[in-house]
């Protein structure tokens, strides 16, 4: 890629840049979310509702290991965006090489750990009773492909940091489409059950990895690294780790949340409540795709212009990102409020799940119109390299508010208290993030 192409992040109009960056990111997230959604539909209809619960149990473990790649990708990409904005090409190259080395070392170690303690981890994450055996089958196979997924997630963020959102979008689409095709073949045609669902997922990770590898080797990338760039550089590792830890901490809290939710819901309502959460969790991944796409598109724009000291453009990118994401959040909110019964019926025919889940889903999405402030606010601090406020604001929703609430509210409202915790945490975290973001804008972006 020519240097002038990444330089457009500092010259093109913010509105146009946000659309160019956010639309491919949104499409990529949409296809990935559809993959998870349709995968759940396939599993629920072709294997059974217990299979949905089993996959939901495994997700925290595989997501956390894959999140290592995402954390390294976002942490390093913040450095790369700012380095390219400041004209420091060699620093960007060294950062990319360190990202690859660190991702391989950490994810491989985590997979070994996950396999050794397989019989302890699955029950700890809610894989009890009838859920245990199908969860174990799925877990073991999927774990083999997680390092490839981590490399894909790391590479995807680097591609986006270079200002190549369309290639990043394709990298997200390939494994999703591959997984759906393989799901149909392995589960429906070959009747391989949970093993078929797991192999479809693992092979799709491999397809994504091959595409990302092709991108960086084919001349499409601006980052032409050589062997010396793979050697670990302590200052870069420190900055990348500090920024990446924000993402890792967020994903770790997500994994802990899954663990707690699965166990709390299992104790209150049994397997059906865990299955309801599995459906709602997938809708959270799916329905918020345009809001998350705007957030992803915002990161390289804010990072590049901050590195280039174009603070007026940074401030404009914050305002427009919140406006775009907030408007999309309002549309999502309306759709969920109007059609929850129809949405749930796509996943299962189980009468118990059909009767309760729509009501719970309305509560979970109740604060969707305001979450843009929290997402863009915490992303801003990560984009500009301020790790501590980024970490604290990222953890406000699930770490500081949601987890305490799911322990407190069920004592007063029973199972409903678990679902009320979602909008309560959204509102509280948005207030906190809005305050600190406004203070930062007034203080720094003059």
């Amino acid at each position: 890629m020519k240097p002038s192409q990444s330089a457009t992040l500092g010259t093109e109009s913010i509105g146009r840049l946000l659309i160019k960056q956010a639309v491919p990111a949104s499409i990529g997230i949409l296809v990935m979310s559809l993959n998870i959604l349709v995968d759940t539909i396939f599993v629920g209809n072709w294997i059974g509702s217990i299979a949905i619960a089993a996959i939901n149990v495994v997700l925290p473990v595989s997501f956390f290991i894959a999140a290592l790649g995402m954390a390294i990708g976002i942490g390093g990409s913040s450095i790369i965006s700012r380095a390219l904005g400041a004209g420091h090409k060699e620093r960007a190259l060294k950062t990319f090489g360190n990202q690859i080395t660190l991702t391989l070392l950490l994810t491989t170690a985590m997979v070994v750990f996950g396999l050794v303690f397989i019989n302890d981890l699955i029950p700890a994450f809610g894989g009890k009773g009838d859920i245990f055996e199908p969860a174990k089958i799925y877990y073991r196979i999927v774990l083999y492909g997680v390092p490839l997924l981590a490399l894909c997630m790391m590479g995807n963020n680097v591609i986006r940091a270079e200002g190549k959102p369309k290639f990043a979008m394709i990298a997200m689409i390939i494994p999703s489409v591959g997984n759906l095709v393989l799901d149909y073949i392995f589960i429906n045609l070959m009747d391989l059950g949970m093993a078929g669902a797991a192999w479809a997922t693992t092979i799709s990770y491999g397809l994504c990895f091959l595409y990302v590898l092709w991108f960086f080797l084919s001349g499409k990338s601006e980052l032409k690294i050589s062997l010396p760039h793979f050697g670990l550089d302590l200052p870069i590792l420190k900055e990348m780790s500090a920024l990446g830890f924000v993402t890792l901490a967020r994903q770790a809290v997500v994994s802990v949340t899954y663990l707690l939710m699965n166990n709390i819901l299992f104790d209150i309502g049994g397997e059906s409540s865990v299955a309801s959460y599995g459906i709602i969790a997938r809708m959270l991944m799916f329905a918020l795709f345009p809001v998350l796409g705007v957030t992803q598109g915002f990161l390289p724009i804010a990072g590049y212009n901050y590195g280039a000291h174009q603070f007026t453009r940074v401030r404009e990118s914050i305002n427009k990102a919140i406006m775009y994401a907030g408007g999309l959040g309002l549309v999502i909110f309306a759709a969920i409020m109007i059609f929850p019964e129809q949405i749930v019926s796509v996943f299962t025919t189980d009468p118990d799940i059909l009767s309760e889940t729509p009501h719970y889903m309305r509560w979970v999405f109740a604060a969707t119109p305001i979450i843009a402030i929290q997402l863009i606010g915490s992303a801003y601090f990560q984009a500009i390299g301020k790790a501590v406020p980024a970490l604290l604001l990222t953890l406000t929703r699930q770490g500081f508010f949601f987890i305490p609430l799911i322990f407190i509210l069920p004592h007063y409202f029973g199972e409903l208290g678990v679902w009320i915790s979602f909008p309560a945490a959204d509102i509280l975290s948005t207030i906190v993030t809005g305050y600190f973001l406004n203070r930062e804008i007034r203080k720094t972006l003059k």
Side-chain angles (χ1 to χ4, degrees):
M1 184 178 94
K2 295 179 180 179
S4 58
Q5 289 180 276
S6 62
T8 60
L9 292 170
T11 57
E12 199 168 346
S13 74
I14 295 296
R16 188 177 297 124
L17 271 176
L18 265 174
I19 293 171
K20 284 175 64 176
Q21 291 284 331
V23 169
S26 296
I27 293 172
I29 295 170
L30 169 62
V31 175
M32 285 188 68
S33 302
L34 278 172
N35 167 40
I36 296 170
L37 211 61
V38 176
D39 184 55
T40 305
I41 294 169
F42 286 171
V43 167
N45 285 278
W46 293 339
I47 304 176
S49 59
I50 289 295
I52 297 177
I55 293 177
N56 206 52
V57 165
V58 174
L59 282 178
V61 182
S62 59
F63 271 16
F64 179 74
I65 299 174
L68 288 170
M70 182 188 293
I72 295 167
I74 292 178
S77 293
S78 173
I79 302 173
I80 290 171
S81 290
R82 285 179 282 120
L84 291 174
H88 300 152
K89 183 71 175 291
E90 186 60 27
R91 178 172 170 79
L93 294 173
K94 187 66 175 176
T95 300
F96 182 40
N98 275 231
Q99 285 178 295
I100 296 172
T101 302
L102 194 60
T103 301
L104 284 170
L105 290 174
L106 290 179
T107 56
T108 302
M110 289 297 293
V111 168
V112 173
F113 176 84
L115 290 171
V116 169
F117 294 100
I118 183 171
N119 291 321
D120 300 312
L121 287 171
I122 292 175
F125 278 79
K128 304 168 185 176
D130 294 337
I131 302 174
F132 177 78
E133 283 302 326
K136 185 175 181 180
I137 293 169
Y138 189 83
Y139 172 94
R140 189 188 300 275
I141 297 170
V142 166
L143 212 58
Y144 294 133
V146 168
L148 295 178
L149 175 62
L151 286 168
C152 292
M153 297 178 86
M154 182 275 295
N156 186 275
N157 283 285
V158 175
I159 294 170
R160 191 173 288 111
E162 288 191 57
K164 289 270 192 170
K166 291 182 180 178
F167 286 94
M169 174 189 71
I170 294 171
M172 299 171 76
I173 290 175
I174 286 176
S176 303
V177 174
N179 186 47
L180 296 182
V181 173
L182 292 170
D183 262 345
Y184 178 75
I185 294 171
F186 292 160
I187 302 175
N188 193 40
L189 298 183
M190 299 177 65
D191 197 25
L192 296 179
M194 289 301 297
W199 278 117
T201 300
T202 297
I203 293 172
S204 70
Y205 295 162
L207 295 174
C208 179
F209 171 74
L210 290 175
Y211 175 80
V212 171
L213 184 65
W214 167 83
F215 173 84
F216 287 110
L217 296 179
S218 66
K220 303 291 183 183
S221 173
E222 182 178 350
L223 301 174
K224 308 298 181 186
I225 59 175
S226 56
L227 196 60
H229 293 128
F230 290 97
L232 295 177
D233 181 281
L234 190 58
I236 287 177
L237 282 179
K238 285 183 177 179
E239 184 175 359
M240 184 165 60
S241 299
L243 294 170
F245 184 72
V246 176
T247 299
L248 186 60
R250 178 172 60 242
Q251 294 303 315
V253 172
V254 169
S255 293
V256 171
T257 300
Y258 269 96
L259 182 153
L260 294 173
M261 286 288 289
N262 286 333
N263 281 281
I264 289 171
L265 289 172
F266 184 87
D267 291 339
I268 295 174
E271 285 91 346
S272 63
S273 291
V274 177
S276 292
Y277 177 52
I279 292 170
I280 292 173
R282 278 152 187 74
M283 279 306 299
L284 280 169
M285 295 177 190
F286 168 71
L288 298 179
F289 79 89
V291 178
L292 297 175
V294 173
T295 306
Q296 291 280 359
F298 164 77
L299 282 166
I301 300 170
Y304 187 99
N305 285 284
Y306 191 87
H309 295 281
Q310 299 189 73
F311 297 142
T312 300
R313 287 176 60 82
V314 177
R315 190 166 59 246
E316 184 184 355
S317 70
I318 295 170
N319 293 334
K320 288 195 173 179
I322 291 175
M323 181 178 68
Y324 292 175
L328 292 167
L330 188 60
V331 174
I332 295 163
F333 168 79
I336 295 294
M337 294 301 115
I338 297 170
F339 303 111
E341 291 85 3
Q342 292 85 343
I343 292 169
V344 175
S345 66
V346 174
F347 291 91
T348 182
T349 56
D350 188 312
D352 291 335
I353 298 173
L354 286 171
S355 65
E356 297 294 338
T357 307
H359 177 58
Y360 300 149
M361 189 178 290
R362 283 193 174 100
W363 276 109
V364 170
F365 282 87
T368 302
I370 66 170
I371 62 171
I373 296 171
Q374 206 277 328
L375 291 172
I376 299 298
S378 57
Y380 163 75
F381 287 99
Q382 195 168 11
I384 67 170
K386 294 190 175 182
V388 174
L391 173 63
L392 294 176
L393 291 177
T394 295
L395 295 181
T396 53
R397 182 190 178 275
Q398 289 185 305
F400 299 152
F401 295 126
F402 182 73
I403 289 177
L405 285 171
I406 61 175
F407 283 105
I408 296 169
L409 295 184
H411 288 293
Y412 300 97
F413 303 102
E415 184 174 351
L416 180 62
V418 177
W419 307 111
I420 293 174
S421 301
F422 283 88
D426 285 333
I427 293 168
L428 292 171
S429 61
T430 296
I431 292 170
V432 172
T433 304
Y435 169 78
F436 284 102
L437 178 62
N438 183 62
R439 191 178 73 168
E440 174 69 15
I441 291 171
R442 292 177 179 276
K443 179 181 178 182
T444 305
L445 302 180
K446 296 180 181 179

